[in-house]
């Protein structure tokens, strides 16, 4: 019977998942009167929105509270934009506020949020499509009003960072009904003729109505379609427009846009000087080490008494020569002994030795050795070899044994 019993935490977690899954509550605008407003030292703001029929707890964290262009007061009627979710620990639902505006700007903010969601779903704000800024651009295109403070700030900062940078201004209106088309056309013109390496599009600060040209769909789509990287510089640090989301990089102010785009020539020069200094110090250290090594070598015995380098080799040569001579003599004695033995064997087998012992060899005048009485006839001339010469005779008769 207790299988369906939930803990308090489980109930709160279930309610939170149900609320978070409701798309209507994921991006909602709520009109109400502020009460119990308190900004803590952390920067987070806690308050209640109420009307005649009820109250709604709300929180605005520090990151979102920075965008407030006014200081909310108890009793103010405002439009709060955010999401509804459940705070599990206390079991209460509340509005997590991302944007808060005084009453009167609700229609614009509704249009802002609707277009933002539409373009977000199309992928125009995706990080993957954003292009990197060039490291050291030669030409910077500026699309803004020629008479505003923004263009003066851009030129001043750019010239200070790099006096040789080429700035190309395309003057446009930055507020009013004709401003969006002019801004879009300027971006398309710069891209068509490839007039710049990077573009800065923006204006100075103002109200939401004054900045609205940078929230128009034609402006945002032109920025997203640009092949030239674009830096948006609209308003002050707390101002956000849809152009900021579509641009490849957002600058909080026009001055910061110039700092992002224009390379600091002075910093490069200082870096080169530092590299030169480090290179010089490295060379000097290597030179000092080489000089020290040379001094050590100059005092070494290898240079002062170079013959000592050969002493060991000469001694090894003498030892090797003596060993070679001894080996040669041993080998020669062995060979001589062997040669004597072979000569004695050869002498023992020599026919001359046999003849010296009294034996003879008889051959015919034709050189045939006579081994039988049948080899000669009466009157044949024969030659008999003895130990000290030959005896020539004629056969008188033969006797068989």
């Amino acid at each position: 019977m207790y299988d369906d019993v939930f803990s308090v935490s489980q109930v709160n977690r279930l309610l939170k998942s149900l609320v978070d899954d409701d798309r209507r509550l994921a991006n909602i605008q709520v009109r109400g009167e502020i009460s119990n407003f308190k900004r803590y030292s952390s920067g987070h703001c806690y308050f209640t929105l109420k009307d005649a029929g009820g109250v709604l707890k709300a929180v605005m964290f520090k990151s979102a509270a920075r965008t407030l262009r006014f200081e909310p007061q108890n009793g103010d009627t405002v439009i709060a934009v955010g999401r509804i979710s459940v705070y599990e620990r206390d079991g209460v639902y509340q509005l997590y506020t991302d944007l808060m505006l005084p009453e009167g700007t609700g229609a614009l903010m509704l249009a802002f949020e609707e277009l933002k969601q539409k373009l977000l779903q199309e992928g125009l704000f995706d990080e993957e499509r954003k292009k990197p800024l060039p490291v050291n651009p030669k030409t910077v295109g500026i699309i803004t009003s020629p008479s505003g403070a923004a263009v003066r700030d851009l030129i001043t900062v750019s010239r200070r960072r790099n006096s040789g940078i080429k700035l190309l201004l395309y003057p446009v209106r930055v507020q009013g009904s004709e401003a969006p088309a002019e801004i879009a056309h300027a971006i398309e013109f710069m891209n068509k003729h490839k007039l710049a390496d990077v573009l800065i599009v923006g204006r100075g600060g103002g109200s939401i109505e004054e900045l609205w040209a940078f929230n128009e769909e034609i402006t945002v789509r032109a920025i997203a379609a640009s092949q030239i990287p674009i830096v948006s510089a609209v308003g002050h640090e707390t101002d956000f427009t849809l152009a900021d989301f579509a641009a490849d990089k957002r600058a909080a102010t026009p001055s910061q846009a110039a700092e992002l785009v224009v390379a600091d020539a002075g910093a490069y020069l200082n870096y080169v000087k530092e590299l030169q200094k480090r290179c010089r110090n490295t060379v000097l250290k290597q030179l000092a080490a080489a000089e020290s090594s040379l001094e050590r070598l100059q005092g070494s015995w290898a240079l002062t008494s170079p013959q000592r380098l050969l002493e060991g080799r000469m001694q090894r040569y003498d030892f090797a020569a003596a060993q070679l001579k001894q080996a040669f003599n041993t080998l020669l004695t062995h060979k001589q002994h062997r040669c004597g033995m072979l000569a004695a064997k050869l002498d023992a087998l020599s026919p001359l030795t046999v003849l010296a012992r009294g034996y003879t060899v008889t051959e015919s005048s034709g050189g045939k050795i006579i081994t039988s009485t049948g080899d000669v006839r009466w009157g044949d001339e024969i030659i008999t070899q003895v130990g000290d010469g030959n005896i020539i005779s004629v056969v008188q008769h033969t006797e068989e044994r």
Side-chain angles (χ1 to χ4, degrees):
M1 62 179 295
Y2 296 104
D3 292 343
D4 295 333
V5 175
F6 293 87
S7 67
V8 174
S9 299
Q10 289 175 325
V11 172
N12 289 343
R13 193 174 302 116
L14 177 61
L15 291 174
K16 176 178 173 60
S17 65
L18 292 174
V19 172
D20 290 345
D21 290 342
D22 192 331
R23 296 177 58 86
R24 294 171 300 175
L25 303 178
N27 186 29
I28 191 170
Q29 301 182 51
V30 181
R31 177 187 291 106
E33 180 183 320
I34 294 178
S35 64
N36 300 321
F37 182 86
K38 185 174 183 180
R39 187 193 295 266
Y40 286 83
S41 59
S42 62
H44 306 323
C45 301
Y46 297 87
F47 55 97
T48 301
L49 293 176
K50 64 179 183 178
D51 59 15
V55 297
L56 174 64
K57 287 190 174 184
V59 59
M60 193 174 197
F61 293 121
K62 179 180 178 180
S63 57
R66 288 176 178 171
T67 65
L68 286 172
R69 299 181 58 83
F70 71 103
E71 184 62 24
Q73 302 292 331
N74 291 332
D76 289 348
T77 300
V78 297
I79 303 293
V81 182
R83 61 185 175 86
I84 301 292
S85 188
V86 174
Y87 183 38
E88 291 186 48
R89 193 197 69 177
D90 295 347
V92 298
Y93 65 89
Q94 57 187 1
L95 174 66
Y96 291 85
T97 309
D98 297 322
L99 181 67
M100 184 160 57
L101 298 167
E103 174 72 82
T105 58
L108 286 177
M109 289 313 302
L110 179 60
F112 177 94
E113 287 298 324
E114 288 179 350
L115 182 57
K116 178 182 176 182
Q117 292 302 316
K118 174 185 175 181
L119 300 180
L120 186 64
Q121 292 176 3
E122 291 183 22
L124 263 67
F125 303 154
D126 292 348
E127 288 295 324
E128 292 77 12
R129 55 157 295 278
K130 295 185 183 297
K131 298 173 287 295
L133 302 183
V135 177
N136 189 18
K138 296 180 179 179
T139 303
V140 177
I142 301 174
I143 300 175
T144 189
S145 170
S147 58
V151 69
R152 293 195 297 272
D153 292 343
L154 284 168
I155 294 174
T156 300
V157 175
S158 298
R159 295 299 186 198
R160 184 181 70 241
R161 291 175 65 84
N162 184 358
S163 58
I165 192 71
K166 182 178 179 181
L167 302 176
L168 189 60
L169 173 65
Y170 194 116
V172 294
R173 279 174 279 199
V174 292
Q175 68 183 67
S177 59
E178 297 179 354
E182 288 190 10
I183 296 170
H185 176 72
I187 295 172
E188 293 167 359
F189 183 86
M190 287 286 196
N191 275 270
K192 179 179 179 180
H193 299 284
K194 299 180 174 59
L195 297 178
D197 301 313
V198 61
L199 299 177
I200 298 176
V201 180
R203 56 155 292 159
S207 65
I208 187 173
E209 292 84 2
E210 292 171 331
L211 303 180
W212 196 254
F214 296 91
N215 288 323
E216 291 286 354
E217 186 170 358
I218 185 175
T219 304
V220 180
R221 289 193 180 279
I223 291 174
S226 175
Q227 296 301 310
I228 302 174
I230 291 182
V231 176
S232 65
V234 182
H236 300 301
E237 185 173 357
T238 56
D239 295 321
F240 270 89
T241 64
L242 295 180
D244 296 324
F245 297 111
D248 298 296
K249 191 76 175 179
R250 175 190 180 262
T253 63
S255 296
Q256 189 189 61
E259 292 176 352
L260 287 173
V261 169
V262 180
D264 189 348
Y268 275 117
L269 182 60
N270 291 335
Y271 179 63
V272 171
K273 289 180 179 179
E274 177 63 23
L275 289 179
Q276 288 177 331
K277 180 180 177 181
R278 289 164 58 184
C279 183
R280 182 175 181 274
N281 291 337
T282 300
V283 172
L284 289 176
K285 287 180 180 179
Q286 291 180 344
L287 183 59
E291 289 177 347
S292 177
S293 177
L294 180 59
E295 290 176 357
R296 289 195 305 271
L297 291 174
Q298 286 175 337
S300 69
W301 60 265
L303 293 178
T304 57
S305 302
Q307 68 277 7
R308 292 173 59 183
L309 292 171
L310 302 176
E311 290 176 352
R313 288 182 173 84
M314 289 189 297
Q315 189 172 4
R316 288 198 298 272
Y317 169 77
D318 291 340
F319 289 158
Q323 290 176 350
L324 180 61
K325 184 176 181 180
Q326 182 180 359
F328 177 76
N329 290 334
T330 301
L331 180 61
L332 181 60
T333 301
H334 175 73
K335 294 296 184 183
Q336 287 176 337
H337 177 69
R338 181 170 177 77
C339 185
M341 292 177 63
L342 292 175
K345 289 182 179 180
L346 182 60
D347 184 62
L349 297 175
S350 174
L352 297 177
T353 303
V354 176
L355 294 176
R357 292 201 299 268
Y359 293 96
T360 63
V361 175
T362 302
E363 59 183 20
S364 67
S365 58
K368 179 180 178 182
I369 300 298
I370 298 172
T371 61
S372 172
T373 58
D375 293 335
V376 296
R377 294 191 303 274
W378 181 89
D380 288 346
E381 185 180 278
I382 59 175
I383 302 170
T384 302
Q385 295 185 29
V386 294
D388 57 352
N390 296 330
I391 299 173
I392 301 173
S393 58
V394 176
V395 176
Q396 294 295 323
H397 68 272
T398 59
E399 292 181 357
E400 293 185 3
R401 192 172 48 247

